[in-house]
Amino acid sequence: MTNLDETGALRRTPLHAAHLKAGARMVPFGGWDMPVQYAGVKAEHAAVRQSAGMFDVSHMGEFRVTGPDAEAFLQYVTTNDLSKLRPGRAQYNWLPGEAGGLVDDIYIYRVSADEFFMVVNASNIAKDWAHLTRQAARYGAVLTDESDQWGLIAVQGPKAADLLQLHADTDLIARKKNSFFSAHLFGLPVWLARTGYTGEDGFEVFVAAEQAEEMWNQLLSVGLIPAGLGARDTLRLEAGFPLYGHEFSDSIHPLSSTYTWVVKDKQHLGREHIDLAPSQKLIGLALDKVPVREGYPVQLDGQVVGHITSGSLSPTLGYPVAMALVNVQSADAEAYGVEVRGKLHEARRVALPFYKKADV
């Protein structure tokens, strides 16, 4: 359940050898040895925005929840309404903390009436497992950690569905966003979810760990561009997607974000903390030239009113963008100053997301 192996070394996904073969630059990430880039962040980002790319996200955790009380248990430990989730559908959700904040932000997939599948952030696998098993003690629900059993490849981009359709045994084009279903892809058994973390269309491919490299190679052979953590971060930032540890944490009120729709009118763990008004608000910022990074102070009228949570040059827009948590009373200003190495740079408040894919 730890993100390090028994020797204390970085863990490797089932695709580690494939990344080395492709010449990826590898970096430590949440206890894993992961590819940050192959050809380069800019090219990989553009491939996903314009055509299709693929990411190794096998480091994410997978839990299965079964039993007659599975739905009741998950309803209690999450904020979204799972009673509305039909079999074959996926739902973005939160695990609220007992003392406030979020334990994690997750995706839940309903397999059947009393069976659910859950994907959690890689850096939170052990924490989430401990939290959920502790809460499950009072319910007739069985949890299974399947994290080591799955390879997970995110195929993303406007041409993703068309490329995969040629090699699938079922109609992918007609599947709606957040669909979740079994299929065969290149003859291999998989589960597919029409979900992603880039702001583009696509499918996340769940494949048995021992078949993950074969799947990766097949996807390479039909022209999919491998993309690393660098492009994944610039893509999700442009789309305004929060990242746990940056925009969310166990000490950040989740309703500081624009994701208020994730909290439904129901009783759940930590509800009394969710109901408190947040003291901060997540805003979008655009700058002219200087990229800003996590932790940089945000000023208004000479006073520090918040900090950058994520920031980068936007490859699509051509200028730096950032998300920042600022005091609620300072959240409606038109412009702020961001301190970079002792110098203030003007940042304009802009609406989130920074980028939204065109309707087709």
Side-chain angles (χ1 to χ4, degrees):
M1 227 78 70
T2 176
N3 289 351
L4 298 177
D5 68 18
E6 60 275 6
T7 68
L10 293 172
R11 295 195 65 184
R12 297 176 174 182
T13 77
L15 295 171
H16 190 268
H19 301 319
L20 297 182
K21 184 177 179 180
R25 182 159 71 87
M26 307 297 288
V27 297
F29 180 78
W32 294 80
D33 194 26
M34 295 295 292
V36 67
Q37 65 178 47
Y38 301 82
V41 172
K42 188 175 181 179
E44 294 161 25
H45 182 109
V48 174
R49 285 279 180 256
Q50 299 167 13
S51 180
M54 61 178 180
F55 304 84
D56 177 13
V57 286
S58 305
H59 58 314
M60 303 289 278
E62 290 90 11
F63 304 155
R64 194 173 300 273
V65 184
T66 59
D69 289 343
E71 181 183 305
F73 162 64
L74 289 173
Q75 277 284 69
Y76 176 66
V77 297
T78 64
T79 61
N80 210 338
D81 187 1
L82 280 161
S83 70
K84 303 292 179 64
L85 189 63
R86 304 187 309 276
R89 299 291 297 165
Q91 181 188 80
Y92 178 70
N93 218 319
W94 288 346
L95 294 178
E98 294 178 83
L102 292 185
V103 176
D104 205 357
D105 66 324
I106 63 174
Y107 243 92
I108 295 182
Y109 313 75
R110 190 165 202 155
V111 180
S112 64
D114 58 1
E115 182 176 355
F116 297 83
F117 191 65
M118 179 188 301
V119 171
V120 306
N121 281 300
S123 60
N124 289 339
I125 294 173
K127 181 180 72 168
D128 290 0
W129 180 257
H131 172 76
L132 290 169
T133 52
R134 184 170 64 252
Q135 297 300 330
R138 54 191 279 196
Y139 288 90
V142 177
L143 274 70
T144 308
D145 183 359
E146 299 184 0
S147 301
D148 292 336
Q149 299 177 31
W150 294 100
L152 181 54
I153 302 169
V155 180
Q156 301 282 291
K159 297 182 181 179
D162 289 335
L163 281 169
L164 293 180
Q165 182 63 77
L166 297 173
H167 309 282
D169 68 346
T170 188
D171 186 355
L172 303 184
I173 308 301
R175 300 285 183 165
K176 295 181 179 180
K177 181 181 178 181
N178 284 331
S179 295
F180 179 62
F181 54 98
S182 62
H184 283 78
L185 191 60
F186 298 101
L188 297 175
V190 295
W191 283 87
L192 297 176
R194 199 161 198 171
T195 51
Y197 192 53
T198 63
E200 298 294 340
D201 186 23
F203 290 84
E204 294 183 301
V205 182
F206 296 85
V207 61
E210 61 271 18
Q211 295 178 321
E213 188 168 358
E214 180 181 354
M215 177 62 69
W216 181 268
N217 290 335
Q218 291 281 15
L219 293 167
L220 274 178
S221 72
V222 298
L224 280 158
I225 304 299
L229 293 173
R232 187 167 169 81
D233 194 52
T234 54
L235 289 159
R236 72 93 190 168
L237 175 59
E238 288 183 347
F241 291 152
L243 174 63
Y244 194 90
H246 292 248
E247 288 73 40
F248 291 146
S249 76
D250 55 10
S251 61
I252 297 172
H253 196 309
L255 295 184
S256 300
S257 72
T258 58
Y259 282 63
T260 55
W261 57 268
V262 184
V263 178
K264 298 300 193 289
D265 185 16
K266 67 172 190 177
Q267 289 302 310
H268 61 73
L269 181 70
R271 181 81 209 200
E272 67 275 18
H273 300 290
I274 293 285
D275 286 341
L276 296 174
S279 61
Q280 296 175 302
K281 183 177 180 180
L282 188 70
I283 62 171
L285 297 174
L287 297 95
D288 289 331
K289 294 181 179 180
V290 179
V292 295
R293 306 297 181 199
E294 177 192 8
Y296 286 7
V298 175
Q299 293 190 18
L300 181 64
D301 298 329
Q303 300 295 317
V304 174
V305 296
H307 66 277
I308 301 296
T309 57
S310 296
S312 176
L313 175 68
S314 164
T316 303
L317 302 175
Y319 52 81
V321 297
M323 290 190 281
L325 276 173
V326 299
N327 301 335
V328 167
Q329 60 269 31
S330 304
D332 294 326
E334 293 298 317
Y336 301 81
V338 181
E339 185 179 338
V340 182
R341 292 183 290 277
K343 184 178 180 181
L344 280 184
H345 295 268
E346 183 176 333
R348 305 176 304 281
R349 181 171 58 85
V350 296
L352 293 171
F354 304 104
Y355 164 88
K356 190 173 183 180
K357 71 181 179 69
D359 294 326
V360 294

